[in-house]
Amino acid sequence: MTNDERDARTETTWQTLRRGLALSPELRTGLAATLGLALVYMVGRVAVPVAVQQGIDRGIVGGLNLDVVWSVVAVTAAILVVTTACGYLMMRRLFTVSETALANVRTRAFRHVHDLSMLHQQSERRGSLVSRVTSDVDQITQFLQWGGVILLVNLGQLVVTTAVMLAYSWQLTLVVLVAFLPAVLVIRQLQRRLGAAYATVRQRTGTLLGAIGESVVGAPVIRAYGIAGRTARRLDEAIDNQRLAQQRAIRISIVGSSVGELAAGLALAGVVVLGVTLGVDGTLSIGQLTAFLFLVTLFIQPVQIATEVLNEAQNAIAGWRRVLDVLDVAPDVADPGEQGRDLPAGPLDIRFAGVRFAYPGGPPVLHDIDLEIPAKSRVAVVGETGSGKTTFAKLLTRLMDPSAGAVLLSGVPLAQVRFDSLRSRVVMVPQDGFLFDATVGDNVRFARPELTDEQLGAAFTELGLADWLDGLPAGLDTPVGERGEALSVGERQLVALARAYVADPDLLVLDEATSAVDPATEVRLQRTLDAVTRGRTTLAIAHRLSTAQAADEVIVVDRGRIVQRGPHDELVHDSDSVYGLLYASWLEQTR
Amino acid sequence: MLGRGLGVLRQAIREQPRIFAVAVIGSVLFGSMVIVSAYVVGAVVGDVVVPAIARGEVGVGTLALAAVALFGISVLRVVGIFGRRLGAGYMQYRLQAAYRRRVTRRYLDLPLSWHHRNATGTLLSNANSDVEAAWYPIAPLPFAVGTLVMLVGAIVSLFATDWALALVGLAVFPALFALNVVYSRRMAPRQARAQRLRAEVSGIAHESFDGALVVKTMGREAQETARFAGRAGELRDALISVGRLRGVFDPLLETLPSLGTLAVLVVGAFRLRQGAISVTELVSVAFLFTVLAFPVRAIGWVLAELPRSVAGWDRVRRVLDATGEMPYGQKVLDPATPGPATLTFTDVHFSYPPAEAHEPGAQVLGEVGFTVPAGRTVALVGPTGAGKSTIASLAVRLVDPDSGVVELDGVDVRDLTAASLAGTVALVAQVPFVFDDTVRANVALDRAGIDDEAVWAALRLAEADGFVAALPEGLDTMVGERGTSLSGGQRQRLTLARALAGRPRLLVLDDATSAVDPRVEAAILAGLRASAGEPGVPAASILVVAYRRATIALADEVVYTEQGRVIARGTHTELLATVPGYVDLVTAYEQAEVDRAQERAYDDEVAQLPSGLEIEVDR
């Protein structure tokens, strides 16, 4: 458990609300007017019992007077028209303000997740980040649309009803309150248990979704290994566990509404017994007693659904808290923004000054790297898996910041460079060529939407990929499918490379960007890339040493240190060196 | 829509008749008690309170009776609530569970080609939210049925009381009912729109966060946020329109029965003067209008959910009714001959099904024929997009050919039982798939006869024993969601161990070591060659999709493919001598080196030339 989570748990509902309101000040706009309208709306609820009392006492019992009944009814009807209109206006204002504010929160949280460092994004389950901008916010809006209104109106109703009851008889009011008191205590208990039960439902639903996901995504493995039976058993178990949790939750919920119902019965009985006694004493009229019976039923509804509404309220608050918590995480690799500097124009040179890096709580991955790479050079970084070469690329593109030391581009420390300058001049092609569910063309023009199909076509031709593009069913308009899965792994890498190429960077960082492409295509790509990136700086992380052979200089990383650097032809002479051994193995593999 | 919606409800009742009966009985009991409570309240006022106050003394007996009656009704209502809500809830959850089971069973039964045609997200929501939506109206259904019974009972009791008051009821109850129907009719499309937009917003978030690295490295955060904000804005507008409709109808639905109560006061007072009714009856009817308003809304809830239910049901049925299973055959390969198997492709054609039904599918393979003889290793070589992965899928029968035959030991793979097939061949895919489970479970997959010793042996062979031993809990370490806690190379080696643990007689490796370092790969391949008990005799035939020369060098034969056709077969040396495309592919690196050497020589010459001139000028 991180510190954040612990703090979040001890934070009270009020603190969360205050934090949320501070973040969305628009929620306060016109709040007083909305509450005023709500109050008027609630008056409508007690209008009928009051009318019944007035009608009975003044127009029916003890001498019929139809005129009185008429006027009571007419006045009440007029009041109802007004309160209904107020109800409409209140909801309209409430929904407009709250939905607008929450849509803004949603968008801000989305942006914030993108602003968090790669390290932070990876430390969270991807699904949970998605929840912050989807289900967590949905939970708040759904609550506001149903439970929130009920809670608001019913709280007011309890207050207004109690006021009217007190006006009629404090003794009977006391009876009602005493009858409901045990229910309130029991409901508080139940609500806690219901919260836990729903938490179990959510957790088991998560497990179930995971199991379904595996059965869909892992379909080839399930089929190839003939393990449908095992998979079915796991699915059934997850399905049943979820059902049992749901059934447990509904049992608690029913007990909650039953308690409210019994309290109402108790209150009704109590009101009748004491009411008649008071009536005989002459302190209570028949109409007032009747009105009381009506008023007690107004008490039932809120209490009956109280467990559900309170639970939903708690979920909504918890969702809000999670969203606020994400927004509160300061991006640890932050854009210096306005105060930042632009990278100087022209080709970029690279300097690592005493750079050290360790993942939080982990052993050091890179030790004291001091390195200068002149502008326009083409450098390959090689080393075994886990040597730290990918970390190198991530520091260079400022996906992460070093634990100590600094990375400088053309003399400017990366931490001072504005992101829009950095991202337009330095582009990295990651090994996993993630594509968006769009066409090939749209993916390639991702960074530069203004490019025309002709310009894209020209770019593919320059990269020597025109033939491959022509072979696609619809050329640039070919859809690539979810995550690009309609293309082969190698083809995805070709599109990702074209995407980086048209972005026209001054420093291009390739992280095993062609690992799944066939050798002939790779070599061809390499040559065309060399040609088209001449005059810019390129740094390639490679495990195919063909890349290293073609580079101006090779940097060999071993266990977090640079152990060799120089042109391939020089390094390869020392056959006992790290590079010599890597190269010998490579030759063995390819010759 | 209504007819189809009721059809779905009928289906639900047919599947869970008993529990539905319990729920409806509970609901009817509750409804009856609502009516009874109105008359008891009326009686208490008219027959207990009024006479008591008039007489100025309390009749203890009648008072006690009234109190017991009021509390007793509450108890009976609680019984009704238990029956209704418990029944409805259990029915809904059981149906959900049953259909989730059926849908996921279909996923396991339907062929991979069907899976390819359907997006992952669609299949996930079919089994999850669509099943849920289909049975959503079940929750309020018993309440609605009970309410209908109650409404009829209310009208009947009203007529029994007084025809004039009954007329008020006849005006108010149908109006209330109609208002509910209009409300749910108007609400359904708005809710559906909001639901659709919610899914789209979530889709954008999923994709955008999945591609976070690309977004970040290209500095497209602002544009992605704009894309998200656009859809979130549409969702906001949809939710506001839902809220406005609610703002119109919720207060109206509350006001209408109140107006009814007021009408009862007027009409009742009039009838009272005529002597047609008593105070008891007047209060009873007024109370009835107050307590009836809420249950009537249950009917609206059911109606409001019907369109969503039908849509969900249609999508669920689409999965349940999907055909094209790949049935397994009856034949079993002789288990008495545990040696390597022979794989034969004869004139195999394959195309992926078209996106649109009327278009022809894209042909991926044509006239593919080759053999992997028992105990031999065959390398499948070809440029990116040549159909190699498809051949690998056909070999282990993940898909069936359009025409032609794939045979194992001379038996068409379509005639083999599932167990025989899975026990004979194993595929290691290009992109490793790891289950959210322990290392042990990922390797053994609960297959019979694979104990810890066998798991370790397989891990050793896949060069994975080192990193697994270093994991905090060894074999018991959970590898997490899709294996995210492992590196790409580690995941590949884990899936390789999974294949080896089953001691397959034919191993199909689809570029399965691409994320593994060359040295590690060499060790793995050497291990595979010597994996049999006796040296020199391999345990399995191997079909390997490869680019690396070392891998190809291990093969007894090479099958070279281009654009879905077998261009040439033969030994590496033969192909080098005869097939230009093959030469280009496998000698690409050497060729590049030669070219570079030439270029360098040329560059040097060119570099020397101007310097020579300069010297001359200087002189």
Side-chain angles (χ1 to χ4, degrees), chain A residues 45 84 114 116 214 234 236 240 242 251 253 261 265 385 437 483 518 522 549 589-591, chain B residues 74 77 85 90 100-101 105 207-208 210 216 254-255 384 436-437 517 521 549-550 589-590 593:
Chain A
R45 295 224 169 156
T84 306
H114 272 306
L116 292 174
E214 280 193 346
R234 282 161 68 111
D236 288 355
D240 278 336
Q242 188 216 23
R251 284 200 301 271
S253 164
E261 180 67 46
T385 306
D437 188 2
R483 280 161 240 258
D518 71 75
E522 189 187 25
Q549 282 174 279
Q589 292 281 310
T590 53
R591 298 298 140 85
Chain B
S74 274
R77 270 158 66 123
R85 289 197 55 198
Y90 274 45
R100 286 211 168 107
R101 210 170 280 199
R105 273 305 177 285
E207 183 179 60
S208 193
D210 262 357
K216 201 178 267 300
E254 226 157 75
T255 304
T384 304
D436 185 3
D437 209 330
D517 272 319
E521 192 203 24
R549 280 280 280 279
Y589 296 134
E590 288 159 73
E593 204 172 327

Side-chain angles (χ1 to χ4, degrees), chain B residues 201-504:
Chain B
V201 164
S202 157
I204 292 179
H206 259 290
E207 183 179 60
S208 193
F209 293 170
D210 262 357
L213 194 57
V214 175
V215 174
K216 201 178 267 300
T217 52
M218 300 208 141
R220 303 299 288 176
E221 292 94 341
Q223 288 73 14
E224 282 294 292
T225 306
R227 180 161 84 106
F228 180 82
R231 208 51 58 90
E234 283 181 52
L235 174 60
R236 173 200 59 213
D237 294 344
L239 288 173
I240 289 178
S241 112
V242 164
R244 286 194 177 175
L245 195 70
R246 184 165 297 220
V248 173
F249 280 90
D250 273 4
L252 275 184
L253 283 171
E254 226 157 75
T255 304
L256 193 62
S258 297
L259 291 177
T261 312
L262 294 181
V264 166
L265 271 186
V266 173
V267 175
F270 190 70
R271 295 290 288 165
L272 205 59
R273 196 176 67 176
Q274 290 179 337
I277 59 166
S278 63
V279 173
T280 305
E281 286 162 335
L282 173 61
V283 174
S284 300
V285 173
F287 200 81
L288 188 61
F289 276 67
T290 312
V291 288
L292 222 55
F294 183 72
V296 171
R297 302 190 68 168
I299 298 169
W301 296 335
V302 173
L303 293 176
E305 291 296 342
L306 279 189
R308 232 174 92 191
S309 159
V310 169
W313 173 250
D314 284 347
R315 285 194 284 266
V316 168
R317 277 254 64 102
R318 197 186 61 86
V319 176
L320 296 183
D321 294 342
T323 51
E325 285 106 315
M326 275 178 27
Y328 289 98
Q330 297 296 321
K331 291 193 188 166
V332 176
L333 292 177
D334 189 2
T337 53
T342 304
L343 171 73
T344 318
F345 272 58
T346 314
D347 195 22
V348 168
H349 291 251
F350 182 84
S351 34
Y352 277 110
E356 307 278 334
H358 54 90
E359 287 170 20
Q363 195 181 36
V364 183
L365 298 179
E367 297 168 34
V368 169
F370 67 90
T371 302
V372 182
R376 296 305 181 90
T377 299
V378 171
L380 195 54
V381 182
T384 304
K388 303 183 296 290
S389 294
T390 309
I391 292 178
S393 300
L394 284 160
V396 299
R397 208 188 165 213
L398 287 182
V399 289
D400 279 337
D402 299 343
S403 65
V405 192
V406 178
E407 288 165 317
L408 277 173
D409 286 347
V411 179
D412 190 331
V413 288
R414 284 171 289 202
D415 295 334
L416 290 174
T417 64
S420 180
L421 190 63
T424 308
V425 294
L427 167 74
V428 187
Q430 195 173 14
V431 182
F433 181 83
V434 176
F435 292 94
D436 185 3
D437 209 330
T438 61
V439 170
R440 177 189 293 106
N442 262 294
V443 174
L445 295 177
D446 292 347
R447 286 171 290 178
I450 302 180
D451 54 10
D452 277 10
E453 207 175 310
V455 169
W456 278 116
L459 287 171
R460 226 169 0 255
L461 211 52
E463 295 265 323
D465 52 335
F467 83 81
V468 171
L471 288 174
E473 287 160 68
L475 289 184
D476 291 315
T477 311
M478 295 290 294
V479 290
E481 203 184 8
R482 311 272 145 84
T484 36
S485 55
L486 302 177
S487 78
Q490 289 173 334
R491 283 202 293 275
Q492 279 194 333
R493 280 177 275 168
L494 202 59
T495 52
L496 193 59
R498 175 193 295 160
L500 296 172
R503 299 186 164 277

Side-chain angles (χ1 to χ4, degrees), chain A residues 183-201:
Chain A
V184 170
L185 293 177
V186 172
I187 280 169
R188 266 189 71 85
Q189 274 298 318
L190 282 176
Q191 189 252 326
R192 214 164 292 148
R193 284 174 58 194
L194 190 65
Y198 276 127
T200 313
V201 171

Side-chain angles (χ1 to χ4, degrees), chain B residues 512-535:
Chain B
T513 47
S514 59
V516 176
D517 272 319
R519 271 154 69 172
V520 176
E521 192 203 24
I524 293 174
L525 288 173
L528 279 185
R529 292 286 285 182
S531 67
E534 316 145 50

